Amino acid sequence: MIAYSLNVRNEPHFPFADWIVDGSKTIETRRSANLDRLIGRRIKIVRTGQGKAQVIGEVTITGSKRYPSKASFQADYHQHLVKSGSKFDFDGSKVGYLLTHPKRYEHPLDAPSPKGIVYTKH
């Protein structure tokens, strides 16, 4: 049983949550190391930012890496897919979480209210 879920916000033209469960986005970036305790765990991906929050699949977080500069962040673009100008672009420091074994659910599930929650334990 998967005990954790992670909110991933889609932006217009940048469906980050969908890219994760489809396997094209293999690094999820955050402003701080707030997901470190999820390393080694299988988690549910909750898509937010487009209508009602839904659990759309799952992934395993296998490690992390620090991005101390914009150049280091841009070097991994092909893995995190965050373009310049995105709300999630480099802003002084970033942590990237390595994602493996993605699985998209055939039918999305309604998620509990995601207001203010980065991740939650069930």
Side-chain angles (χ1 to χ4, degrees), residues 48-118:
T48 64
Q50 66 179 78
K52 186 172 183 164
Q54 293 186 307
V55 180
I56 61 168
E58 55 193 65
V59 70
T60 302
I61 299 179
T62 59
S64 67
K65 64 190 305 184
R66 304 302 190 255
Y67 295 108
S69 67
K70 185 158 181 106
S72 65
F73 184 73
Q74 289 174 328
D76 277 352
Y77 168 77
H78 64 285
Q79 292 177 286
H80 59 66
L81 304 176
V82 178
K83 287 192 175 186
S84 246
S86 165
K87 175 182 177 183
F88 305 109
D89 195 6
F90 186 83
D91 58 0
S93 176
K94 284 281 190 183
V95 179
Y97 289 92
L98 312 176
L99 310 174
T100 62
H101 304 97
K103 176 184 175 185
R104 178 184 281 277
Y105 294 161
E106 189 173 328
H107 302 287
L109 309 168
D110 287 342
S113 175
K115 292 186 178 183
I117 299 171
V118 172

Side-chain angles (χ1 to χ4, degrees), residues 12-54:
H13 311 292
F14 303 105
F16 296 120
D18 292 275
W19 287 342
I20 287 172
V21 299
D22 289 338
S24 57
K25 180 174 168 63
T26 58
I27 293 179
E28 170 64 2
T29 62
R30 298 290 164 142
R31 288 189 174 113
S32 67
N34 61 353
L35 302 182
D36 279 359
R37 55 187 259 195
L38 298 181
I39 293 173
R41 297 186 184 270
R42 187 98 178 139
I43 59 168
K44 296 177 184 177
I45 298 297
V46 178
R47 177 178 56 211
T48 64
Q50 66 179 78
K52 186 172 183 164
Q54 293 186 307

